[in-house]
Amino acid sequence: MHQQTPPCTTGDPTALNPAALNTTALSSPPLAPSPPFETAPAATRRTGPPRPAPVSPQRVQPAIWGVPRAAAQPGTRGLAELPPTHDALICVALPGLAISTAQGQLSGRGLEGFYRAGRRLLSRCQVRVAGREPLVVQALMTEAGQVRFTGVLRASPGAGPDPDVLVERTRDADGTERIMLRSAAPRPLRLPLEVALGTDLADLAEIASGRTGGERPASVRGAGLRWSLGAVRASVTADPPPTDALASAGLLRWEFELPPGGTATVELRVRQDGAGPVRAAGRAATSPFADARATGDTPGAEALLRTGIADLQALLLRDPAHPADLYLAAGAPWRCGLAPAEALVAARMALPLGTRLAAGTLRALARAQHTGPGPRHGMIPGPRRDAGPHLPPGSTGTEATLLFPALLAEARRWGLPDQETEELLPAAERCLTWLRTAVDDGTYLCDPLPGRPVRSETQAHAHRAAVLGADLLDAFGRPGAAGLRQWAERLRTTFRDEFWIDDPGGGRPAVGRAPDGRLLPHLDAAAAHLLDTGLLGGGAYAPGLLDGRRTEQLARLLGSPAMDSGWGLRGLAAKEAGHNPFGHRAGAVRVAETAVAVAGLAAAGHEKEAGALLRGVLAAADAFGHRLPEMFAGAQRAVGGAPVPHPAACRPAATAAAAAVLLLTACAGIRPDTPARTVTLRPLRTAPLGELGLTGLRVAGAPFAVRVSRLGLALVEEAADGLQLGA
């Protein structure tokens, strides 16, 4: 029954084409290996406070399929500890970033600073008023790209314990910082303001590996300071101009006379010379996202949706050659470039906010598609991605290629016009042709590298692409649909027999099959993709690779304490060998996979398990200020506890932000079919969030609103003209 897997016939899509994908310097994955740390030469000039000594790189290299990781990834010379992000306040308006701690001062340590396109333009910005640092009493993210710090100090002699000067700093990802002084003293105050500035002009890869080389010497330029490193030049200008500017100390100084109740404001502008102000795609363009809102019994739902949409807006990038095409960066700070698979996943989750993001993402990736001869013809390029302790790295290019036709088919259901769909259809056909060529006369889609396993997750992606792709081809009278459906049916039959492991507990799906035919039995979150079958016409979901009995068993497994941490779905079951609560594919909770599980369980009718995961991730969102990271530790939830952050997680992350949309719309069970002018509702009858109202969504290009009662009944409150409620 478990015969030898046929050899793979696909190419090795391990290299991105940065020019084609318009990636930035931040497109490497968060756990990518980096060279050993290097110390700065003794002659390197440093100003300001001493920098901490670099940490030695990790040398532990777990084996992959019996081969040391360093051997499996040529060129790896060691893994460096990344600067932690879990407690950072990350302002995003790409290509601009501003990263701070809750103390407000930019000290030059870790990731702190203002960035543009992966280059740190300013690493140190320390404020002193009347010779003292203000005491920061509040740090508040006011929007995705802005943070405000409120500080106080006592400036009047003998005034008692109460502060009488307010110092408010507003830091923006576009490279501006406003410092406002307000006096509450009963008599006039003379307040000197000093701002110490410095930068290393390092790129993010150097910062991640600890090889920044120290601060650069400053020079006075107009109303501020300037630094240079080779051809890179950065400057800070001040309004009003400072009274004094000292290049040797990197210091700007003002003298203010404040009457009782008086204020004084200084604005600093951080710029890369020759680049002009940061023009964030999410701020300069008309938003591709509907202004959706959530109301109801769960207060966190409203904040989660609002924050998720704001983060999606902040992560938008535009194709420079095609400015109308917007797509999402994977996440900040480590992955601010286009990652094809993650961009497609996020665009698919965000379809209830409109189809414009999906169209822009698909067009951008169609231009990057391999169209030349050879086994990669039709593939979307993508790098390899770590798959945890039990599997070798997988190809995100394969995943992206299979997601492309599925996203196009579902975007059409949500309202993508037929003209735009037809323009993208040739690229989708190339993806489907690649799929048929890759499986050839076999049944399974292999990993693109020889000797790799046949992954069940890949079969789920391939099956969805075939079924939804066939539906798309039929809709436009294109050939090939029958062959795709026949292969999908054959895959369903063989998968149920050859990828299921029977045991006394009811069995489980294998995560994959080794080249010698052995089934790989460990349970991980990738199994949730077996429930993500895809949306067809008439509000129907496509058939899946598992039958009803096996789907029910998988639901029990995903809802078990081994997988459900109480905060979301673990990446690897707690009882499996190699489980690590912080392992990004070995036990950490990945928000996007939790959302996929919730939506898939809800669609399959397993509401108990879906509701438990949903409530858990919403509780985690409350603890993270409703800005969910891409992942966090898979530690078990306890009374009075809180989710434990992952120190290297992107936050915000595109898939986590878009997951907020999928999680909430799954409660209402919205299944549109715009070509048939219908929308079907399959709400969760258990109403796990109580009453829930969703307004400002988009179906068929028009506003859509739905309300789910505490009894699990759904009511459409707003819809496009002529849109009928399906059966």
Side-chain angles (χ1 to χ4, degrees):
M1 180 176 292
H2 307 305
Q3 72 262 18
Q4 180 82 12
T5 302
C8 303
T9 58
T10 56
D12 177 15
T14 57
L16 284 169
N17 181 342
L21 296 180
N22 302 302
T23 55
T24 71
L26 307 184
S27 59
S28 58
L31 298 181
S34 48
F37 290 99
E38 298 173 1
T39 56
T44 299
R45 175 173 177 155
R46 294 184 182 270
T47 59
R51 300 171 64 87
V55 180
S56 298
Q58 292 181 349
R59 297 294 184 182
V60 179
Q61 298 171 342
I64 300 178
W65 289 62
V67 181
R69 187 176 297 270
Q73 296 177 344
T76 300
R77 296 165 52 201
L79 297 177
E81 288 285 0
L82 294 172
T85 62
H86 65 280
D87 58 353
L89 300 173
I90 303 177
C91 302
V92 185
L94 294 182
L97 293 174
I99 304 177
S100 322
T101 70
Q103 298 306 308
Q105 301 278 40
L106 298 182
S107 65
R109 293 188 289 269
L111 284 169
E112 297 173 38
F114 285 91
Y115 294 79
R116 181 187 178 118
R119 174 77 61 176
R120 182 156 63 182
L121 304 183
L122 188 70
S123 56
R124 192 162 54 87
C125 182
Q126 296 168 304
V127 170
R128 293 171 66 90
V129 179
R132 302 195 308 279
E133 291 191 8
L135 174 65
V136 175
V137 294
Q138 185 184 67
L140 181 66
M141 292 287 298
T142 57
E143 57 184 69
Q146 188 179 88
V147 61
R148 183 174 64 237
F149 303 95
T150 301
V152 295
L153 56 81
R154 290 182 296 143
S156 301
D162 298 332
D164 55 5
V165 175
L166 173 74
V167 182
E168 188 174 277
R169 302 173 68 175
T170 303
R171 184 168 296 149
D172 199 294
D174 68 3
T176 61
E177 175 151 350
R178 287 169 292 281
I179 305 167
M180 189 271 289
L181 310 180
R182 183 187 300 276
S183 172
R187 56 180 180 272
L189 291 179
R190 181 175 177 273
L191 293 177
L193 169 66
E194 296 178 339
V195 180
L197 304 169
T199 184
D200 49 18
L201 294 177
D203 64 41
L204 199 54
E206 293 171 330
I207 297 166
S209 62
R211 297 180 290 112
T212 60
E215 287 190 355
R216 310 301 304 168
S219 60
V220 176
R221 181 193 183 196
L225 299 173
R226 182 180 184 180
W227 300 265
S228 63
L229 177 63
V232 180
R233 292 177 175 81
S235 62
V236 173
T237 57
D239 183 21
T243 306
D244 297 301
L246 303 176
S248 59
L251 189 70
L252 304 181
R253 193 173 188 276
W254 295 260
E255 294 278 353
F256 294 111
E257 299 282 347
L258 296 187
T263 63
T265 302
V266 169
E267 181 171 282
L268 305 176
R269 301 183 185 92
V270 184
R271 298 286 185 265
Q272 181 174 345
D273 290 7
V278 170
R279 299 188 182 277
R283 292 183 177 179
T286 303
S287 176
F289 305 116
D291 188 21
R293 291 288 184 268
T295 58
D297 293 338
T298 304
E302 185 277 332
L304 178 64
L305 184 59
R306 170 171 39 83
T307 305
I309 295 174
D311 284 342
L312 291 173
Q313 189 80 15
L315 290 168
L316 283 174
L317 297 172
R318 67 169 68 252
D319 187 331
H322 302 270
D325 291 344
L326 299 173
Y327 46 81
L328 289 168
W334 304 118
R335 308 183 68 207
C336 289
L338 174 59
E342 283 87 345
L344 290 164
V345 167
R348 186 171 174 235
M349 289 180 171
L351 282 173
L353 303 179
T355 60
R356 185 179 165 201
L357 174 67
T361 304
L362 291 168
R363 283 194 290 264
L365 293 179
R367 290 189 286 270
Q369 189 177 32
H370 290 293
T371 56
R376 292 196 291 172
H377 176 82
M379 285 201 74
I380 307 294
R384 281 179 284 175
R385 178 170 59 202
D386 184 61
H390 297 285
L391 290 171
S395 168
T396 63
T398 297
E399 183 180 345
T401 306
L402 299 173
L403 281 167
F404 190 105
L407 174 58
L408 182 59
E410 290 189 333
R412 178 173 173 264
R413 298 292 174 194
W414 280 91
L416 185 68
D418 278 354
Q419 180 181 349
E420 291 188 65
T421 306
E422 198 160 12
E423 290 171 356
L424 287 161
L425 197 54
E429 288 180 296
R430 288 192 290 271
C431 293
L432 296 170
T433 299
W434 172 84
L435 170 60
R436 290 300 312 277
T437 303
V439 297
D440 198 12
D441 292 329
T443 300
Y444 300 119
L445 180 61
C446 301
D447 255 26
L449 295 177
R452 298 300 175 101
V454 178
R455 304 170 195 261
S456 62
E457 178 186 354
T458 302
Q459 310 319 305
H461 291 314
H463 183 266
R464 187 198 315 118
V467 175
L468 270 62
D471 186 61
L472 191 63
L473 295 177
D474 274 349
F476 288 90
R478 303 293 183 95
L484 287 168
R485 288 195 181 96
Q486 290 169 4
W487 173 77
E489 184 176 357
R490 185 167 72 250
L491 177 62
R492 285 196 297 273
T493 301
T494 57
F495 186 92
R496 291 168 186 176
D497 291 336
E498 298 182 1
F499 270 80
W500 190 261
I501 302 171
D502 290 312
D503 59 38
R508 63 174 62 186
V511 74
R513 294 178 63 211
D516 61 4
R518 288 180 298 111
L519 292 180
L520 308 177
H522 68 276
L523 178 64
D524 65 12
H529 294 283
L530 295 172
L531 303 173
D532 181 13
T533 61
L535 181 64
L536 293 174
Y541 274 96
L545 290 177
L546 301 180
D547 58 20
R549 178 183 68 83
R550 292 178 173 90
T551 297
E552 183 177 359
Q553 172 63 7
L554 177 57
R556 283 197 291 267
L557 292 171
L558 296 181
S560 69
M563 287 298 293
D564 183 356
S565 70
W567 304 112
L569 194 68
R570 290 186 175 95
L572 181 66
K575 297 180 180 180
E576 298 288 351
H579 172 80
N580 173 8
F582 288 93
H584 69 298
R585 300 279 173 181
V589 172
R590 298 185 65 85
V591 173
E593 285 177 328
T594 299
V596 168
V598 168
L601 288 165
H606 299 286
E607 296 193 7
K608 177 184 175 182
E609 294 82 1
L613 287 170
L614 174 63
R615 289 189 295 268
V617 78
L618 257 70
D622 287 342
F624 285 110
H626 305 105
R627 176 184 259 189
L628 281 166
E630 63 174 324
M631 60 182 169
F632 50 89
Q636 187 63 41
R637 183 177 181 178
V639 176
V644 179
H646 192 293
C650 286
R651 181 168 175 258
T655 54
V661 181
L662 180 60
L663 287 165
L664 296 179
T665 55
C667 290
I670 306 169
R671 305 181 181 186
D673 186 356
T674 296
R677 304 301 294 172
T678 65
V679 59
T680 303
L681 299 179
R682 293 288 185 270
L684 294 179
R685 294 165 298 175
T686 53
L689 302 183
E691 183 174 302
L692 176 66
L694 298 171
T695 61
L697 302 176
R698 294 194 75 81
V699 174
F704 184 83
V706 62
R707 183 167 300 277
V708 180
S709 73
R710 297 182 184 93
L711 299 177
L713 301 175
L715 173 67
V716 175
E717 296 183 333
E718 184 180 16
D721 291 341
L723 195 66
Q724 301 295 315
L725 192 62

